[in-house]
Amino acid sequence: MAVVAGPCRPARGHAEKKAPPAVAICISGLLRSFNSTAGNILTTMVRPIRDVADVFMALDPRLDEYHNHPTTMNATGVQIREWTAPFNPLVLQVQRRAGQNEGLKDCLRMIEAEELARCRSYDWVVRLRPDVAYTCRLPTIEEWPPFRRASARAPKAHRPRPPWVLSDWIFVENYTTRSVAVKDVWAVMDRSAASVYMRDWPRKCGCNGEHGINEEDLGCTLSQGRVEVGAALTPGVPLRRIVRTWESGRVEPNCSACRTLRWNETRWFSTLEQHAHIAQGR
């Protein structure tokens, strides 16, 4: 955990702990179906690491897909407080934004401000969206940091050096030029990669949008930032699904059938075969 210069103070709510939380959880984006997904997100992505994580929320109050329509419905302040209270966010910011990158950048500013105040940086950042439900749980912190430990079964396990980002879907478009599309819905990353991921994603590689413009822009940004990219493999089931407001079907808050994500199932871009296609819940 890097030390940041500046006036220090104890991490809020963690004064009894020996060290500040190691993980920053960023939940950003349009609220959409958050009233349905909040319990699932809390169970799968927050509670496994709750004691060592701070939650930052940069939310857009809109509940539907009409991004700039004047009659778009917003969640009320009472609803937002009810849905977000179980997460006990360190910082909660709710406002309309021009796009998802604005929320990510606001989240990064919150993280940087907290790091400056406590004089220590986070080790890892988890990027989540309010409208996504998960079929896997994060490992408890005893299994972190991801990929650092080899095992008897995998003594030569690939262990990426920072900066790295773990997504749940990758498409390698051009292995020679390191052109890769990266799904932009969920990510676990080391802190240095967050400074690349959680900013604007300019059109740098001239991709054609075949695998999603945002995905290709993010892939280009990470490649040019020399960020190693991995895909979390969950055999038989996608890691997550986007929950649309108009779709039927209840999200199970306790996720009783969820398995724990295993870091050693990750495939990394540097180890992928040329033009390999790894898809999880596209």
Side-chain angles (χ1 to χ4, degrees):
M1 185 177 286
V3 177
V4 180
C8 303
R9 61 169 174 77
R12 193 188 78 177
H14 298 274
E16 73 283 1
K17 293 182 171 57
K18 294 181 180 179
V23 186
I25 300 174
C26 168
I27 304 177
S28 68
L30 274 71
L31 279 171
R32 290 178 177 149
S33 55
F34 191 51
N35 62 322
S36 298
T37 62
N40 172 277
I41 296 171
L42 193 65
T43 297
T44 59
M45 296 288 127
V46 178
R47 283 180 180 154
I49 55 173
R50 174 75 270 188
D51 289 344
V52 292
D54 285 330
V55 177
F56 301 85
M57 290 182 159
L59 304 176
D60 188 308
R62 282 171 283 191
L63 296 173
D64 57 39
E65 299 296 300
Y66 296 98
H67 198 66
N68 292 307
H69 196 280
T71 61
T72 294
M73 290 182 60
N74 291 345
T76 66
V78 172
Q79 289 174 317
I80 294 171
R81 286 192 294 272
E82 177 185 348
W83 300 339
T84 60
F87 292 83
N88 189 25
L90 195 66
V91 184
L92 170 62
Q93 186 184 92
V94 183
Q95 66 184 57
R96 286 200 172 200
R97 294 179 172 85
Q100 70 171 328
N101 289 91
E102 296 306 310
L104 288 171
K105 288 190 289 185
D106 283 345
C107 231
L108 180 60
R109 283 191 282 267
M110 297 174 193
I111 291 170
E112 291 173 337
E114 178 63 15
E115 289 174 331
L116 184 62
R118 70 181 195 168
C119 300
R120 286 185 179 274
S121 63
Y122 293 94
D123 292 327
W124 306 288
V125 176
V126 179
R127 178 271 203 275
L128 307 174
R129 267 176 36 175
D131 61 342
V132 175
Y134 298 89
T135 61
C136 289
R137 290 184 176 87
L138 282 178
T140 59
I141 200 64
E142 288 76 19
E143 299 297 322
W144 294 54
F147 331 113
R148 188 173 69 180
R149 301 182 185 91
S151 66
R153 291 184 178 181
K156 296 182 179 180
H158 181 71
R159 286 169 283 175
R161 296 180 179 179
W164 54 259
V165 168
L166 176 63
S167 180
D168 69 314
W169 178 89
I170 296 174
F171 187 90
V172 181
E173 298 182 313
N174 190 314
Y175 200 86
T176 302
T177 61
R178 297 187 62 80
S179 176
V180 58
V182 179
K183 197 64 180 176
D184 58 342
V185 174
W186 171 90
V188 173
M189 64 195 86
D190 79 279
R191 177 59 183 87
S192 59
S195 295
V196 179
Y197 187 110
M198 299 173 71
R199 297 193 185 277
D200 289 318
W201 305 334
R203 300 301 306 276
K204 293 182 177 181
C205 300
C207 301
N208 58 18
E210 179 183 356
H211 302 106
I213 293 176
N214 287 339
E215 287 80 357
E216 292 179 355
D217 291 349
L218 173 58
C220 290
T221 299
L222 296 176
S223 292
Q224 296 205 358
R226 299 185 179 277
V227 176
E228 187 168 6
V229 182
L233 302 182
T234 51
V237 293
L239 185 147
R240 48 87 197 156
R241 68 182 177 93
I242 298 174
V243 180
R244 302 300 187 188
T245 53
W246 59 84
E247 291 178 345
S248 60
R250 183 174 177 272
V251 177
E252 184 185 356
N254 295 328
C255 200
S256 58
C258 284
R259 61 190 290 273
T260 299
L261 181 67
R262 292 192 290 266
W263 303 125
N264 60 4
E265 294 172 350
T266 300
R267 290 284 302 279
W268 292 94
F269 176 54
S270 60
T271 66
L272 297 176
E273 297 178 0
Q274 188 170 4
H275 301 296
H277 189 186
I278 295 182
Q280 295 291 319
R282 183 175 176 181

